[in-house]
Amino acid sequence: MYHNEIEPLIAYYDELGLLRRVDVPGARQLNDVTVAPGGRVFASDSASGAIFEIPREGDARELVPSNVIRGSNGLAASPDGKRLYVGHSTGIALI
């Protein structure tokens, strides 16, 4: 189960019995969350368009900088975990 607040992102890894809090510096309005195979968490910042990756261990990183994807809202990881689909104000971006 994954839960998201404005900042920080809280990720619950139920299958491991682990609760982990992850700060996402620079995030303004975290909105959508998806989980890729292997447990990587991705979160979109609807205010800036940035996309963040949160690995199972370690710090969050900005995968797509602010203002590159306008109005990011809606994330989906491909079944093989190699691609991330991002819905945005004018279509779908493939990362």
Side-chain angles (χ1 to χ4, degrees):
M1 176 178 157
Y2 297 86
H3 171 70
N4 153 356
E5 295 180 355
I6 298 290
E7 183 180 1
L9 176 72
I10 308 291
Y12 301 89
Y13 295 96
D14 285 345
E15 71 277 6
L16 301 176
L18 172 69
L19 172 64
R20 181 170 173 238
R21 176 186 170 126
V22 179
D23 291 314
V24 184
R28 294 173 29 204
Q29 185 178 351
L30 294 177
N31 184 25
D32 290 311
V33 175
T34 193
V35 182
R40 291 180 304 151
V41 175
F42 296 92
S44 64
D45 186 333
S46 292
S48 71
I51 306 294
F52 296 91
E53 177 184 6
I54 300 97
R56 287 182 82 145
E57 296 181 16
D59 296 331
R61 74 179 185 100
E62 190 176 55
L63 185 64
V64 177
S66 298
N67 299 316
V68 171
I69 299 176
R70 303 292 303 252
S72 63
N73 191 16
L75 302 172
S78 65
D80 63 5
K82 294 181 180 179
R83 294 175 192 87
L84 182 66
Y85 299 92
V86 180
H88 57 88
S89 58
T90 61
I92 298 174
L94 179 60
I95 299 171

